[in-house]
Amino acid sequence: QVQLVESGGGLVQAGGSLRLSCAASGRTFSSYAMGWFRQAPGKEREFVAAISWSGYSTRYADSVKGRFTISRDNARNTVYLQMNSLKLEDTAVYYCAAGVRGVSMLEYNYNVWGQGTQVTVSS
């Protein structure tokens, strides 16, 4: 089973960009679909983006489509979330997750979670 560690969060002005990384330990990383979720203060955790084990299939929440890009480098055991044109409402703790049930928007299809990284967008 993999373990996940997110990094790259921080404070950014609205309209700016950040790239989140999620480093995985373990030799089976390439067999997992990977997802990014986020949780804003006072709100439930929500799906952001997901990518298949091969990287050929991706899926995005409507709220980030066209602004965020998920990618992965299986040689480096890392998945990325490039976030552009950030908005105030993107402020949240971002979590990466690994699952074996394909590119899914559903939390219960992911069985390994990172600890999260804070993204704060200011005006």
Side-chain angles (χ1 to χ4, degrees), residues 6 20-22 35-37 47-49 70 79-81 94-96:
E6 301 97 333
L20 305 183
S21 299
C22 174
W36 284 98
F37 291 77
F47 170 77
V48 175
I70 189 171
V79 63
Y80 304 98
L81 185 68
Y94 284 71
Y95 299 89
C96 71

Side-chain angles (χ1 to χ4, degrees), residues 34-36 49-51 55 57-60 68-72 79-82:
M34 299 296 296
W36 284 98
I51 189 167
S57 179
T58 59
R59 195 168 188 178
Y60 295 92
F68 290 11
T69 302
I70 189 171
S71 62
R72 67 189 296 161
V79 63
Y80 304 98
L81 185 68
Q82 178 67 44

Side-chain angles (χ1 to χ4, degrees), residues 1 5 25-26 35-36 42 56 64 76 84 87 90 95 103 116 122:
Q1 179 156 300
V5 178
S25 62
W36 284 98
Y56 287 130
V64 306
R76 296 179 183 271
N84 298 330
K87 303 176 180 180
D90 294 320
Y95 299 89
V103 181
S122 65

Side-chain angles (χ1 to χ4, degrees), residues 18-41:
L18 277 177
R19 188 176 80 157
L20 305 183
S21 299
C22 174
S25 62
R27 294 177 294 175
T28 59
F29 172 76
S30 60
S31 64
Y32 285 87
M34 299 296 296
W36 284 98
F37 291 77
R38 66 187 182 186
Q39 187 167 23

